[in-house]
């Protein structure tokens, strides 16, 4: 019989929920990363036979077996050293696609994580939204130096907040100074439990944020705030006449064939196939401990909105982050803006952040944390190598294990 974690008080649960949501929709800046081609090469699942060959072919096969073994070992470590029941990773490069998983997707049935499992991508949603906004800017349907007030009159006002002084550029780069609605405990409670009431609207989330004073004057500093991207979602709708989800599907998901990616809206369940999402077991500073993880698969996604509601697969995320640097979605000038971290002192661009490895490689990507899920995707600057990985709890993996995974994939000799 498993040992159960002691029940927390209502106040403790509320505070934990607030912290979880803040982490969920936060970015580990800087993060980690990798790249890869869209759909070329035969997909290989770790453990599949590599065959035999001679000369250069044999060398490539031997290298492939070594790479697969290194990825498999790194994923096992990712699961073993964290608080997640399971972990998985998918790598793409010129030689094909490799997938590895460790642990369990469902503690009740013993099911393992599958390559095509759907999961909550959290703040990786922001990269999708930033791509759409930059496309609209390239089409001159909006300007990055437009103010929030020009597109959403009267919405950002009060308690020292003023949409007349905040630009879309500042929303994209998290330099607006707006309070993060995810830190508000009322919103956190909504995300930490299954939907029981009417969905929260984006305007409600913004009103929650502007009920608090801003952290600083627009452009004066950098601070990650989910409010920025909820506002960008509203701007997309105002400019195009379509909800941000529909516009992202039309501009990004459809053209790239990302059939495993969706925006759930008010739907609290995951599409099939999927495993389960679990709250991390508390007990130590790293989130590890003893007890039975609590199933948090069903939740209210309206509390994340354009800042973190997307559902996806490892394949889809790798394809998107591989296509983005190769110009399939944005022209070179827009991509340079996405990677310009001047406003954040090197920490964040526009929906992307740099991940610098000790071997001298710099990757570009984003991570996402939302109740029951942690994911990160990184790519080389040319998009030819990509790594997407996930755990089925929102707790970040052990830093050493995450570094080992990235180095195994991108610091190869």
């Amino acid at each position: 019989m498993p040992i159960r974690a002691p029940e927390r008080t209502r106040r403790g649960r509320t505070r934990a929920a607030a912290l979880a949501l803040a982490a969920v929709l936060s970015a580990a800046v800087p993060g980690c990363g990798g790249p890869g081609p869209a759909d070329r090469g035969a997909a290989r699942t770790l453990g599949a036979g590599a065959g035999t060959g001679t000369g250069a072919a044999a060398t490539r096969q031997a290298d492939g077996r070594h790479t697969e073994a290194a990825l498999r070992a790194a994923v096992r470590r990712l699961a073993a050293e964290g608080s997640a029941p399971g972990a998985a990773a998918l790598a793409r490069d010129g030689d094909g696609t490799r997938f590895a998983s460790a642990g369990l997707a469902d503690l009740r049935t013993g099911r393992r994580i599958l390559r095509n499992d759907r999961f909550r991508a959290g703040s990786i949603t922001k990269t999708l939204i930033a791509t759409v906004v930059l496309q609209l800017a390239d089409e001159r349907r909006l300007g990055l130096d437009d103010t929030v007030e020009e597109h959403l009159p009267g919405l950002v006002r009060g308690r020292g907040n003023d949409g007349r002084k905040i630009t879309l550029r500042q929303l994209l780069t998290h330099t607006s100074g707006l309070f993060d609605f995810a830190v508000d405990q009322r919103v956190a409670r909504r995300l930490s439990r299954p939907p029981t009431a009417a969905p929260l609207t984006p305007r409600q989330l913004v009103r929650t944020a502007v009920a608090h004073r801003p952290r600083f004057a627009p452009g004066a500093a950098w601070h990650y705030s989910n409010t920025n991207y909820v506002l960008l979602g509203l701007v997309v709708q105002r400019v195009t006449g379509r909800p941000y989800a529909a516009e992202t599907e039309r501009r990004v998901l459809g053209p790239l064939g990302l059939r495993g990616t969706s925006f759930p809206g008010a739907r609290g369940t995951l599409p099939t196939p999927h495993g389960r999402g679990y709250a991390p077991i508390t007990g130590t500073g790293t989130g590890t401990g003893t007890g039975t993880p609590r199933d948090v698969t069903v939740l209210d996604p309206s509390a994340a909105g354009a800042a973190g509601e997307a559902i996806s697969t490892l394949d889809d995320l790798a394809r998107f982050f591989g296509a983005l640097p190769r110009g399939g979605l944005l022209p070179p000038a827009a991509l340079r803006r996405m990677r310009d971290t001047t406003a954040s002192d090197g920490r964040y661009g526009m929906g992307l952040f740099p991940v610098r490895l000790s071997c001298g490689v710099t990757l570009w990507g984003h991570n996402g944390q939302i109740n029951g899920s942690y994911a990160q995707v990184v790519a080389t600057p040319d998009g030819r190598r990509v790594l997407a990985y996930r755990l089925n709890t929102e707790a970040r993996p052990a830093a050493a294990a995450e570094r080992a995974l990235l180095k195994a994939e991108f610091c190869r000799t």
Side-chain angles (χ1 to χ4, degrees):
M1 184 178 206
I3 300 172
R4 297 192 180 277
E7 187 173 343
R8 289 173 289 175
T9 65
R10 179 176 299 175
R11 182 178 178 182
R13 284 196 302 270
T14 299
R15 183 172 182 274
L19 293 174
L21 177 58
V24 158
L25 301 172
S26 71
V29 183
C32 326
D39 251 342
R40 300 219 184 122
R44 292 176 294 166
T45 298
L46 297 191
T52 58
T54 58
T59 300
R60 285 195 299 273
Q61 289 172 340
D63 289 343
R65 287 193 293 270
H66 172 75
T67 303
E68 290 179 354
L71 182 63
R72 186 188 305 115
V75 171
R76 282 199 300 263
R77 180 178 176 183
L78 201 68
E81 294 187 10
S83 62
L90 184 141
R92 287 180 182 269
D93 58 25
D95 294 326
T97 303
R98 304 177 304 281
F99 171 77
S101 68
L104 298 176
D106 189 324
L107 293 174
R108 184 178 59 84
T109 66
R111 176 186 181 281
R112 295 180 64 82
I113 297 177
L114 305 178
R115 174 172 165 172
N116 62 340
D117 272 354
R118 273 66 169 169
F119 59 90
R120 301 188 191 280
S123 284
I124 296 173
T125 307
K126 292 181 176 68
T127 314
L128 294 166
I129 299 299
T131 300
V132 172
V133 171
L134 288 168
Q135 286 181 347
L136 292 169
D138 186 60
E139 296 165 7
R140 300 187 183 279
R141 299 180 67 181
L142 57 78
L144 297 186
D145 292 317
D146 293 352
T147 65
V148 173
E149 181 75 11
E150 290 176 60
H151 295 282
L152 304 169
L155 182 59
V156 179
R157 291 288 184 89
R159 299 281 294 169
N161 299 285
D162 190 345
R164 296 170 297 183
K165 299 178 180 179
I166 299 171
T167 66
L168 304 189
R169 187 186 304 275
Q170 289 165 345
L171 298 181
L172 285 161
T173 58
H174 293 294
T175 56
S176 70
L178 290 169
F179 180 86
D180 186 355
F181 70 82
V183 181
D184 186 274
Q185 292 188 359
R186 291 167 297 178
V187 177
R189 283 195 295 268
R190 288 290 295 269
L191 190 63
S192 67
R193 60 195 183 204
T196 56
L200 291 168
T201 68
R203 287 178 177 270
Q204 285 175 313
L205 294 174
V206 173
R207 283 195 288 269
T208 297
V210 299
H212 299 266
R213 296 195 63 81
R215 294 181 63 92
F216 47 80
W222 181 88
H223 183 76
Y224 190 92
S225 172
N226 293 288
T227 307
N228 295 318
Y229 276 74
V230 167
L231 281 165
L232 289 169
L234 286 168
V235 170
V236 168
Q237 180 166 356
R238 177 59 65 95
V239 170
T240 66
R242 286 179 289 270
Y244 65 84
E247 194 65 15
T248 305
E249 289 165 3
R250 188 176 76 86
R251 290 173 170 270
V252 180
L253 307 188
L256 293 182
L258 307 183
R259 290 183 290 273
T261 303
S262 60
F263 293 87
R267 188 182 69 244
T269 58
L270 291 169
T272 56
H274 67 83
R276 311 300 294 176
Y278 296 95
I281 300 172
T282 57
T284 71
T286 61
T288 59
T290 59
T292 302
R294 180 169 55 90
D295 190 315
V296 294
T297 308
V298 179
L299 54 77
D300 182 357
S302 70
E309 74 159 293
I311 291 168
S312 195
T313 67
L314 291 177
D315 264 302
D316 274 12
L317 293 178
R319 192 177 307 165
F320 168 58
F321 278 83
L324 187 59
R326 296 200 304 275
L329 296 166
L330 292 170
L335 187 59
R336 285 195 295 272
R337 282 193 286 272
M338 284 193 93
R339 292 173 173 170
D340 183 354
T341 61
T342 305
S344 65
D345 294 326
R347 288 172 289 191
Y348 198 94
M350 296 182 177
L352 288 176
F353 58 75
V355 178
R356 301 173 181 90
L357 303 184
S358 60
C359 59
V361 172
T362 295
L363 307 166
W364 289 90
H366 210 290
N367 65 354
Q369 292 173 271
I370 192 164
N371 296 39
S373 179
Y374 173 87
Q376 178 145 289
V377 195
V378 287
T380 52
D382 60 6
R384 297 189 181 279
R385 292 173 57 201
V386 183
L387 178 69
Y389 54 99
R390 57 169 292 232
L391 295 90
N392 51 4
T393 184
E394 69 263 26
R396 283 185 56 79
E402 193 169 26
R403 283 195 302 270
L405 174 62
L406 292 167
K407 290 173 73 174
E409 187 59 32
F410 296 104
C411 296
R412 298 182 254 155
T413 57

